[in-house]
């Protein structure tokens, strides 16, 4: 794992709002999976930067509860209307071309899985040394 990937996973975890994004490309093909911070600004940046390249993006929390669903770069379903309003506050200027999407706190899902496997291994090693 590269240092910048490890750093990004830690930055995501420091937001205390991590979840998963599933990006479905136009024309079919394999979906792309990401772990990302679920802050309104980060969600807007992710959707604003990737939304037009994807037919659909589904974002969930770590318990697989729906946070937001998009269709062709537009918010489609957002069960928490307060969160939806906060996302739109950041997303609308991106969609209108008034500003570019900012930094996105996200890594591919396999990178996150590798990070957590390394963490589990480190904990196991520490526990074994204590015996």
């Amino acid at each position: 794992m590269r240092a910048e990937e490890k750093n990004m996973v830690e930055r995501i975890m420091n937001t205390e709002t991590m979840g998963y994004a599933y990006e479905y490309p136009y024309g079919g093909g394999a979906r792309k999976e990401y772990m990302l911070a679920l802050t309104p600004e980060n969600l807007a940046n992710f959707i604003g930067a990737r939304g037009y390249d994807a037919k659909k993006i589904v974002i969930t929390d770590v318990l697989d509860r729906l946070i937001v669903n998009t269709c062709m770069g537009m918010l489609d379903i957002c069960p928490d209307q307060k969160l939806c309003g906060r996302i739109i506050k950041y997303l609308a200027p991106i969609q209108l071309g008034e500003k570019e999407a900012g930094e996105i706190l996200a890594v591919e899902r396999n990178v996150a899985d590798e990070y957590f496997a390394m963490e589990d291994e480190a904990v196991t090693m520490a526990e074994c040394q204590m015996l």
Side-chain angles (χ1 to χ4, degrees):
M1 170 174 284
R2 297 185 329 237
E4 60 268 10
E5 291 171 333
K6 182 177 185 274
N7 182 46
M8 181 58 75
V9 171
E10 291 169 353
R11 289 179 63 199
I12 292 166
M13 291 188 339
N14 285 340
T15 69
E16 300 180 9
T17 64
M18 68 183 195
Y20 299 104
Y22 306 94
E23 182 181 318
Y24 297 86
Y26 284 109
R31 75 180 183 190
K32 297 177 184 174
E33 298 183 6
Y34 304 90
M35 183 182 82
L36 75 167
L38 297 179
T39 64
E41 184 174 12
N42 196 60
L43 292 173
N45 288 334
F46 186 86
I47 294 165
R50 307 196 60 81
Y52 294 112
D53 296 330
K55 180 179 180 182
K56 177 180 182 176
I57 297 173
V58 177
I59 300 173
T60 68
D61 65 12
V62 293
L63 299 176
D64 204 31
R65 295 178 296 206
L66 181 65
I67 300 298
V68 67
N69 185 38
T70 73
C71 184
M72 295 182 276
M74 305 302 275
L75 298 185
D76 185 31
I77 300 170
C78 188
D80 181 342
Q81 289 300 294
K82 287 182 182 177
L83 175 62
C84 185
R86 293 195 313 264
I87 294 170
I88 290 171
K89 177 178 125 182
Y90 295 105
L91 182 58
I94 297 168
Q95 291 175 325
L96 294 171
E98 295 171 359
K99 68 176 248 182
E100 295 289 320
E103 179 185 27
I104 300 168
L105 300 179
V107 294
E108 291 184 6
R109 177 77 181 258
N110 62 336
V111 171
D113 291 345
E114 181 182 345
Y115 177 89
F116 294 127
M118 288 175 21
E119 289 288 309
D120 286 346
E121 184 178 325
V123 168
T124 301
M125 294 298 285
E127 288 173 347
C128 288
Q129 290 176 356
M130 293 175 71
L131 297 176

